Amino acid sequence: MQTHREARPTRTDGRGETLTVVDNRTGKTYELPIEDGTVRAKHFRQIRAYEGDFGLMVYDPGFANTASCRSAITHVDGERGILEYRGYPIEELAEKSSFLETAYLLIHGDLPTKSQLGQWVHDITFHTYVHENVKKFMEGFQYDAHPMGMLLGTVAALSTFYPDAKQVSDPRSRDIQTQRLIAKMPTIAAFTYRHNRGLPYVYPDNDLWYTGNFLSMLWKMSEPKYAPDPVLERAIDVLFILHADHEQNCSTNAMRSVGSSDADPYSATAAAAAALYGPLHGGANEAVIKMLMEIGDKNRVPQFVKHVKSGEGLLWGFGHRIYKSYDPRAKIIKKTADAVFELMGANPLLEIALELERIALEDEYFIERKLYPNVDFYSGIIYQALGFPVDMFPVLFAIPRTAGWLAQWREMIEDPEQKIARPRQVFVGPERRHYTALVDR
Ligand code: ACO
């Protein structure tokens, strides 16, 4: 939910903040309370045109202007390009925090003390192993299965290994499932990568940091101990911080929606991962790379932009439902890219991306529609420079976002105002008609 901390009007008449609605069908006037810059949709139900009228509903495909919850986790100011987790600016967290500390912050609401952090890191580290049957389950996938399909299928299957996860109203159970999910995501993600390559799965190394261990499970070969490069380990940690949460987006909405029926968190996380898979959401960085490869050369950028403007395609990695200015995460990612390219060599697609950004940001079409690079515009270029195939990109997004999904799920469970998610519809189908036998049709 986008909060309106700065935008709240001041009270001048002592009546409180209200909205006066005149129904021109009946001439009746209604005064609806305004709370935190919002009007409750339910208040519109009292507005009826005739006896027996169901009452007015609000119609909002894609929830473009509907707050589905009250949330204290992530604040996004899309106009000013601000992103804060629990009040902390993303820039400070990306510079000073670690992914696991940020995950703790998202889940528990405050930065941990030294001992809380120690305990948290220990708990996550010691839940990284998966049951051997999970491994066998994954071995059943086709050799060329998309890693995101394997990831979300396996996360859903985890619910069968932890039947206690059904106890969603038990805080202790919620804590355990939270730790298990954050801990096991990198393990499952790395197994999908090894599976596609026909390489043996590598077990977690509990001596390593969260992201170092992930690199070890991805890339360890015959060496007895994998030593992650600290620059790469930190680059991935920063990318994970940036992707950890982003309030009520498509996948978080799926997490909350599925979780609202009291489904276990593994099933809800699988649903969230499925929502993230789509190219309009977490699959966009994959689409960005494909687009840059198709453009192929910096000189062909103007032609491509023309093609987008004529409505023949999208400029992938541009535009955002909330950000109508530069996505703050894209700025930090650009800096992280420099560190990675120094070590791994520059990605030749970077030159095309920079030119695309330059031309688009000067073009009236993109200026008018407030289309700027989003988090996915540069993340794929880094992932590719790190050696990841494009189909691993959404998986790399899903690992850190699990912390955000779980924070949102826990908040939803603990919110007494929340109910099972069940939108209304405007029925536009046929009036009642009667069944005709097949021979008469
Ligand atoms: N390229 C070209 N035109 C665009 C783009 C784009 N990337 N994004 C939006 N537009 C245009 C639309 O065609 C529309 O033009 P119109 O007013 O002439 O019809 C206008 O800008 C408004 O766009 P909407 O689609 O209404 O904006 P919405 O908020 O619904 O969509 C979205 C946001 C889905 C992110 C969209 O900008 C998009 O498809 N971007 C490309 C995909 C992408 O990069 N997704 C990743 C988002 S970040 C994330 O999920 C982690």
Side-chain angles (χ1 to χ4, degrees):
M1 179 173 79
Q2 176 150 16
T3 49
H4 294 260
R5 291 183 294 193
E6 288 80 26
R8 290 187 65 176
T10 45
R11 294 176 184 194
T12 51
D13 58 6
R15 282 194 310 140
E17 296 165 4
T18 61
L19 174 76
T20 302
V21 178
V22 180
D23 185 348
N24 293 323
R25 299 170 302 175
T26 59
K28 280 193 189 161
T29 299
Y30 302 83
E31 192 162 301
L32 311 181
I34 297 175
E35 234 182 297
D36 294 327
T38 59
V39 179
R40 284 187 185 250
K42 239 183 166 173
H43 286 313
F44 286 90
R45 285 278 290 280
Q46 60 183 299
I47 305 179
R48 296 191 172 94
Y50 51 88
E51 188 65 30
D53 183 1
F54 178 78
L56 216 54
M57 289 194 295
V58 290
Y59 177 58
D60 188 8
F63 309 116
N65 194 37
T66 295
S68 62
C69 60
R70 300 170 68 83
S71 182
I73 302 171
T74 293
H75 171 63
V76 180
D77 181 333
E79 292 298 328
R80 294 192 290 162
I82 290 172
L83 169 59
E84 293 163 354
Y85 296 159
R86 303 281 189 187
Y88 295 98
I90 193 68
E91 293 80 4
E92 284 181 31
L93 293 170
E95 193 191 329
K96 298 179 182 154
S97 184
S98 64
F99 170 67
L100 282 187
E101 186 183 58
T102 298
Y104 183 99
L105 170 71
L106 288 167
I107 300 282
H108 294 290
D110 286 303
L111 285 170
T113 61
K114 199 172 172 203
S115 72
Q116 284 169 332
L117 181 63
Q119 185 63 49
W120 173 249
V121 173
H122 175 275
D123 289 342
I124 301 293
T125 306
F126 283 83
H127 281 97
T128 46
Y129 271 65
V130 289
H131 193 288
E132 279 296 288
N133 286 351
V134 172
K135 214 179 87 182
K136 286 189 202 147
F137 174 86
M138 293 188 72
E139 278 163 1
F141 285 112
Q142 280 284 70
Y143 71 96
D144 60 351
H146 195 291
M148 196 62 176
M150 289 193 263
L151 181 91
L152 68 93
T154 308
V155 171
L158 281 186
S159 74
T160 66
F161 290 85
Y162 304 110
D164 55 319
K166 285 186 174 46
Q167 313 302 326
V168 293
S169 49
D170 173 1
R172 179 73 197 124
S173 170
R174 291 202 293 272
D175 281 347
I176 299 246
Q177 316 317 330
T178 300
Q179 288 161 13
R180 283 180 178 147
L181 266 159
I182 295 174
K184 293 180 203 313
M185 277 313 251
T187 311
I188 298 169
F191 284 9
T192 69
Y193 175 85
R194 304 283 294 199
H195 182 86
N196 281 155
R197 262 142 214 82
L199 292 168
Y201 302 164
V202 175
Y203 288 108
D205 179 344
N206 289 352
D207 292 339
L208 295 175
W209 175 249
Y210 190 77
T211 44
N213 172 46
F214 179 47
L215 295 179
S216 163
M217 292 187 290
L218 288 165
W219 292 328
K220 183 172 182 294
M221 294 304 288
S222 58
E223 65 272 40
K225 188 130 186 111
Y226 180 85
D229 186 294
V231 174
L232 298 188
E233 194 177 27
R234 178 63 192 157
I236 296 191
D237 221 44
V238 171
L239 287 165
F240 279 7
I241 293 170
L242 300 182
H243 285 87
D245 194 50
H246 209 246
E247 50 118 311
Q248 307 312 313
N249 50 75
C250 180
S251 56
T252 301
N253 183 57
M255 180 85 189
R256 280 182 174 260
S257 191
V258 172
S260 76
S261 71
D262 281 356
D264 69 84
Y266 300 98
S267 303
T269 302
L276 187 71
Y277 196 176
L280 294 185
H281 189 13
N285 48 14
E286 185 173 344
V288 170
I289 294 293
K290 285 184 182 149
M291 170 188 74
L292 295 174
M293 281 163 51
E294 252 172 60
I295 298 173
D297 189 285
K298 188 178 145 177
N299 297 323
R300 293 183 56 206
V301 167
Q303 192 187 328
F304 178 77
V305 170
K306 214 168 137 195
H307 161 87
V308 168
K309 281 161 56 179
S310 65
E312 286 171 56
L314 287 173
L315 201 177
W316 293 99
F318 258 65
H320 199 277
R321 173 62 60 78
I322 304 290
Y323 291 117
K324 300 302 168 199
S325 66
Y326 214 102
D327 182 334
R329 300 167 298 176
K331 277 191 202 153
I332 303 167
I333 283 191
K334 255 174 125 176
K335 276 195 223 152
T336 310
D338 293 338
V340 170
F341 294 153
E342 205 170 301
L343 197 77
M344 308 295 285
N347 185 335
L349 297 180
L350 179 67
E351 204 189 13
I352 304 173
L354 289 169
E355 181 67 356
L356 200 48
E357 178 186 339
R358 189 186 68 76
I359 293 193
L361 293 184
E362 284 174 359
D363 193 292
E364 210 38 52
Y365 175 96
F366 296 93
I367 296 170
E368 228 174 63
R369 290 168 177 76
K370 298 188 175 175
L371 301 171
Y372 291 85
N374 59 48
V375 66
D376 284 329
F377 192 66
Y378 288 106
S379 63
I381 299 176
I382 307 187
Y383 293 146
Q384 207 180 38
L386 285 167
F388 289 107
V390 285
D391 53 10
M392 273 300 282
F393 295 179
V395 169
L396 295 166
F397 194 155
I399 299 170
R401 185 52 63 87
T402 299
W405 290 331
L406 288 163
Q408 301 274 350
W409 168 73
R410 293 163 65 108
E411 184 176 67
M412 187 261 311
I413 297 273
E414 286 162 20
D415 181 350
E417 229 189 1
Q418 282 298 328
K419 292 173 181 294
I420 185 165
R422 204 311 187 179
R424 293 276 175 181
Q425 64 168 9
V426 179
F427 181 68
V428 294
E431 295 278 329
R432 173 179 286 213
R433 47 186 171 166
H434 293 287
Y435 186 83
T436 5
L438 194 56
V439 285
D440 299 329
R441 269 177 250 158

